[in-house]
Amino acid sequence: MAFISVFEVIGPNMVGPSSSHTAGAASIAYLARKMMHEKVKKVNFTLYGSFAQTYRGHGTDRALLGGMMGFETDDVRIRDSFEIAEKEGIEFSFTANTVETDVHPNTVDMEIEDISGRKLTVRGESLGGGKVKLTRINGVKVHFTGEYHALIVIHKDHPGVISKITNVFGKLHVNIAFLRVYRESKGGNAYMIIESDEAITPSAVEEIEKNPFVRETMLICR
């Protein structure tokens, strides 16, 4: 059972009404937004479970869209996120999936495209009290909460890649708190999520990107 503090019971600073359906939704999308390199052009949200059933009444739709535009949970602009997105030319849609039930009750899939044409799909779950986690990136199962500074590295599943990347952190005296690796298939794309106590510098990312097996990086500051 996950530990929940009294502060999580009270809930985060937020535009309400719900810490799980509103603040959690905004946090999921805000975290996914950090994974994009350019401004978001288009996003489709597919909602499951209670998200699908109550998203209009709890403002989940406005919170998701606000988070995708970089609004934090207490940003009052969330209330006007539809209008703001339309003014900025962002295409958005919401689909309620009430057929699939083998998911966490507060789950959303996000199909995102930025102005450069880069596409990313992300699944997130709102766990209650404002806590969230991302569970899929481009269909690959992951575990990522965004509670630490992080670097997501998409690379070819190849011997020695992990050690070379972690050596970069060692040389720069950056302490790795957690390191998790997931892969699509043997020899295919692998997703390395490195979470650290200290901020990860752009110079570290540049050094990692020199590795010929590294295909993409996503630097996420806390």
Side-chain angles (χ1 to χ4, degrees), residues 1-32:
M1 181 178 293
F3 173 77
I4 298 178
S5 74
V6 66
F7 300 103
E8 291 161 349
V9 173
I10 295 171
N13 291 331
M14 65 176 188
V15 174
S18 169
S19 62
S20 58
H21 287 68
T22 317
S27 294
I28 290 170
Y30 183 71
L31 188 54

Side-chain angles (χ1 to χ4, degrees), residues 17-208:
S18 169
S19 62
S20 58
H21 287 68
T22 317
S27 294
I28 290 170
Y30 183 71
L31 188 54
R33 170 66 185 87
K34 289 183 177 182
M35 298 166 67
M36 303 302 294
H37 300 315
E38 303 286 348
K39 179 182 175 182
V40 172
K41 172 187 175 183
K42 183 178 181 180
V43 57
N44 177 66
F45 300 98
T46 301
L47 303 103
Y48 303 86
S50 61
F51 266 9
Q53 296 167 358
T54 65
Y55 71 95
R56 291 190 180 93
H58 282 168
T60 304
D61 47 2
R62 294 183 180 275
L64 286 167
L65 188 56
M68 190 57 62
M69 291 188 289
F71 302 166
E72 298 192 53
T73 57
D74 59 351
D75 194 322
V76 296
R77 291 179 294 174
I78 286 175
R79 298 181 182 126
D80 302 314
S81 59
F82 281 19
E83 295 79 7
I84 295 171
E86 288 171 356
K87 287 180 181 178
E88 295 190 4
I90 300 173
E91 298 178 47
F92 59 92
S93 64
F94 298 88
T95 303
N97 185 324
T98 57
V99 177
E100 293 184 49
T101 57
D102 190 22
V103 292
H104 185 279
N106 303 326
T107 296
V108 59
D109 283 337
M110 296 162 283
E111 300 174 31
I112 316 163
E113 182 178 349
D114 68 20
I115 56 175
S116 71
R118 176 175 173 263
K119 297 179 181 179
L120 187 71
T121 61
V122 180
R123 170 171 287 188
E125 299 174 358
S126 177
L127 307 177
K131 297 187 73 173
V132 304
K133 68 176 179 179
L134 302 186
T135 59
R136 289 187 187 179
I137 300 174
N138 291 337
V140 176
K141 292 183 179 181
V142 301
H143 178 99
F144 180 50
T145 65
E147 294 176 354
Y148 292 82
H149 300 288
L151 179 66
I152 300 174
V153 182
I154 303 176
H155 61 91
K156 179 179 173 59
D157 180 39
H158 189 273
V161 175
I162 295 173
S163 63
K164 288 181 180 178
I165 290 175
T166 54
N167 282 341
V168 173
F169 280 77
K171 290 177 183 177
L172 297 174
H173 304 289
V174 176
N175 188 49
I176 295 175
F178 300 99
L179 188 152
R180 301 180 179 92
V181 181
Y182 312 86
R183 66 182 184 180
E184 295 174 347
S185 61
K186 184 177 180 180
N189 277 339
Y191 290 73
M192 186 188 310
I193 300 178
I194 306 167
E195 297 173 283
S196 69
D197 297 318
E198 299 87 14
I200 302 169
T201 64
S203 60
V205 179
E206 290 174 7
E207 186 66 26
I208 288 168

Side-chain angles (χ1 to χ4, degrees), residues 204-215:
V205 179
E206 290 174 7
E207 186 66 26
I208 288 168
E209 288 177 339
K210 292 178 183 178
N211 189 305
F213 297 106
V214 170
R215 293 170 174 168

